[in-house]
Amino acid sequence: MTYLPGSALDDGPLGRLLMAARQLSHEPPLLRRGGQVTEISPAACRVRGLSRFAALGDCVEIGEGTTRHLAQVVHVGARGILVKPFEAEPDIRLGQQAWHQGAFRLHPDEAWKGRIVNALGEPADGAGPLPPGLVALPVDRPPPRALRRQPITQPMRTGVRAVDIFTPICAGQRMGIFAGSGVGKSTFLAMLTRAADFDTVIFALIGERGREVREFVEETLDEKQRRNAIGVVATGDESPMMRRLALKTAITIAEYFRDRGENVLLVADSITRYAHACRDILLAAGEAPVARGYPPGIFAELPRLLERAGPGEVGGGSITGFFSVLVDGDDHNDPVADSIRGILDGHIVLDREIAEQGRYPAMNVLASVSRLARRAWTPEQEKLVLMLRALIARFEDTRDLRLLGGYRPGTDEELDRAVQWVPSIYEVLRQTPDETEHRNAFETLSETLKALAAEREDGTTTHTPQPPQRAPMSR
């Protein structure tokens, strides 16, 4: 039986008992272990007296009364522990008391749907306090055991034609969205959040511009989607600790609803800024950079975190994840991008050249791969997509030849078909952010291909109108 705040149970004995349990679970302990701040630097603070009790990742509260600052342990040594505050510019002084709080835990609840929270799980939308749930979940949880995970079998429809045709996904799959800056990555993710096959949507905006938060909530999600969505926000002006914690908070909330049997969509923008935050923290903790400034701890933390998404244990729900990857300088072999590509179940590449042509979403279908596509395609659809990929590859490989006038119709039947079909296929894949495909994308594609085949048999030529160049819709 599920208790919902505001229901008739509030006035009964069960409601009073549940509310008392909530309050008791948040009561501070009677005894606390304390230490003292002995060093302060821009990167971290040193606290003496807690080395024997604190572990990496534990939280420490510095100060008393109204001037209390939450920090996290990033290094444990014989001379004390190094803690990094969650605030960007905390007012911490030498000699202040520091109290050991233990591992950071969240108390998600069904009533959080429709709300925006910060990385600490506190309300960020000005809509009042959040009711805490009865279950305390640590943000650093292990992923489900491999042999107890349920298999991935259920295809999902996103409503984005390019994805549903060339890189279809299944419930519990984890996909990366690889793109440089200004190519339409955020807009593309916003289109994916409108998928109708999910019970709950969790979106994490990590290191993004402050103005994009309200735009994402009010312009991307309709009223029904907002009621079933929870946002976790840590903007670019917040501390690295908040930006790092935001993704863990979003995954922990998604796990709560997954364990309730729901089909959850998790959208994170972006995993690269999460890695940047981890880099700042690990460098402050004393790790040495090894790959373009990234310490080795990042490449150990990424698989532990991303493995928490995906299918749950048998009998539970699943977390379908879309993680955007901001490739620095359009270099898709960046250490973070290369590491994430090997962890996830597929990747979608957004190409700057396609965006410059005004064709959105700027998805490069030849460079994009879904490792579970065969579980979503029928045999006929798989055969069709392989044929279309070959035509698109032939069309793009001969682009320079055709521009130089080296192509003559009738000399190469396959090239003739590519020249006739590919522009129309591109028009099928073209989609505005406000346009959602409510029917099977293959139906739209099939109608276009049938018309092209009929015109080819009649010997007529199809002229595909090219729309005027549009300003980029990317953020």
Side-chain angles (χ1 to χ4, degrees):
M1 184 177 184
T2 302
Y3 167 71
L4 296 177
S7 64
L9 291 176
D10 277 336
D11 300 327
L14 180 58
R16 291 193 294 271
L17 180 62
L18 288 171
M19 292 303 296
R22 290 174 187 267
Q23 294 175 359
L24 287 174
S25 65
H26 290 79
E27 286 293 327
L30 298 177
L31 297 176
R32 296 189 295 175
R33 295 187 177 98
Q36 195 173 55
V37 178
T38 59
E39 294 181 24
I40 301 175
S41 71
C45 301
R46 187 178 300 278
V47 175
R48 292 183 64 91
L50 290 177
S51 297
R52 295 175 56 191
F53 311 106
L56 288 177
D58 283 358
C59 287
V60 172
E61 190 176 68
I62 302 174
E64 295 284 355
T66 58
T67 58
R68 294 182 294 180
H69 308 280
L70 190 64
Q72 192 172 41
V73 179
V74 297
H75 178 80
V76 179
R79 295 193 305 119
I81 61 173
L82 285 180
V83 299
K84 197 165 178 64
F86 285 99
E87 296 177 61
E89 297 180 354
D91 184 17
I92 298 176
R93 308 297 175 88
L94 285 176
Q96 283 187 310
Q97 292 295 316
W99 305 101
H100 183 228
Q101 300 289 320
F104 183 75
R105 297 175 181 270
L106 287 175
H107 297 76
D109 190 78
E110 180 77 19
W112 287 24
K113 288 187 177 182
R115 301 294 301 273
I116 308 296
V117 302
N118 64 11
L120 298 173
E122 300 169 344
D125 52 7
L130 287 169
L134 290 176
V135 181
L137 301 178
V139 294
D140 288 306
R141 301 175 66 191
R145 286 174 288 183
L147 296 181
R148 299 199 61 179
R149 284 184 183 263
Q150 56 187 338
I152 296 179
T153 57
Q154 180 185 356
M156 306 297 289
R157 192 173 64 182
T158 65
V160 181
R161 288 189 290 268
V163 175
D164 292 341
I165 293 173
F166 287 95
T167 58
I169 64 168
C170 298
Q173 187 171 352
R174 302 162 303 166
M175 293 288 288
I177 313 297
F178 291 74
S181 58
V183 186
K185 167 178 53 65
S186 297
T187 304
F188 185 71
L189 285 172
M191 296 172 67
L192 294 173
T193 60
R194 298 175 181 175
D197 292 342
F198 298 96
D199 302 315
T200 303
V201 176
I202 311 294
F203 61 89
L205 302 180
I206 306 163
E208 292 296 315
R209 307 171 187 86
R211 66 169 179 82
E212 289 189 341
V213 176
R214 187 167 183 175
E215 292 176 2
F216 191 94
V217 175
E218 297 183 355
E219 299 179 11
T220 301
L221 305 175
D222 58 29
E223 184 177 352
K224 180 181 178 182
Q225 291 168 328
R226 282 197 293 267
R227 289 198 302 265
N228 294 322
I230 301 174
V232 182
V233 176
T235 53
D237 61 315
E238 298 189 51
S239 70
M241 295 296 295
M242 293 292 279
R243 285 182 271 130
R244 179 197 188 191
L245 182 60
L247 183 56
K248 295 184 177 182
T249 297
I251 292 181
T252 303
I253 296 173
E255 289 173 329
Y256 169 78
F257 289 100
R258 179 201 63 193
D259 295 342
R260 291 164 56 94
E262 296 190 15
N263 192 5
V264 183
L265 173 63
L266 172 64
V267 176
D269 186 15
S270 70
I271 197 75
T272 306
R273 292 193 174 101
Y274 166 83
H276 291 171
C278 291
R279 177 178 59 188
D280 294 343
I281 296 167
L282 294 176
L283 290 176
E287 283 201 24
V290 295
R292 297 193 189 180
Y294 290 103
I298 293 177
F299 305 105
E301 185 166 346
L302 284 173
R304 286 198 303 265
L305 186 69
L306 297 176
E307 275 296 315
R308 292 169 61 182
E313 295 188 359
V314 176
S318 63
I319 300 175
T320 304
F322 286 99
F323 303 92
S324 74
V325 182
L326 181 62
V327 291
D328 295 332
D330 290 344
D331 181 10
H332 289 264
N333 293 319
D334 174 82
V336 172
D338 197 44
S339 175
I340 294 173
R341 190 183 298 111
I343 299 170
L344 300 178
D345 303 317
H347 54 272
I348 296 172
V349 177
L350 303 185
D351 197 310
R352 188 175 301 277
E353 291 185 2
I354 297 177
E356 290 172 350
Q357 297 171 12
R359 177 157 51 89
Y360 290 93
M363 176 177 165
N364 186 332
V365 298
L366 298 178
S368 303
V369 175
S370 173
R371 295 178 179 173
L372 300 177
R374 289 190 172 182
R375 303 186 186 184
W377 285 327
T378 64
E380 294 78 12
Q381 290 172 347
E382 180 181 3
K383 184 178 180 180
L384 172 63
V385 171
L386 292 177
M387 182 195 71
L388 296 182
R389 280 182 178 272
L391 289 179
I392 293 174
R394 189 69 185 276
F395 182 83
E396 296 297 338
D397 289 343
T398 59
R399 182 180 291 273
D400 292 341
L401 176 67
R402 289 182 284 109
L403 289 175
L404 293 173
Y407 163 68
R408 290 193 304 173
T411 58
D412 188 326
E413 184 177 354
E414 183 181 8
L415 183 56
D416 291 343
R417 185 183 295 108
V419 170
Q420 184 185 17
W421 285 22
V422 172
S424 297
I425 295 171
Y426 284 165
E427 284 301 311
V428 172
L429 302 183
R430 189 190 298 268
Q431 197 168 347
T432 64
D434 298 328
E435 181 185 357
T436 302
E437 184 65 70
H438 296 288
R439 61 174 181 169
N440 192 315
F442 278 96
E443 295 180 8
T444 305
L445 178 64
S446 177
E447 292 176 359
T448 300
L449 296 182
K450 287 179 180 179
L452 289 171
E455 292 173 354
R456 185 177 178 84
E457 290 178 359
D458 295 340
T460 59
T461 303
T462 302
H463 172 67
T464 305
Q466 297 294 330
Q469 294 293 323
R470 298 179 284 188
M473 296 179 289
S474 59
R475 297 189 192 132

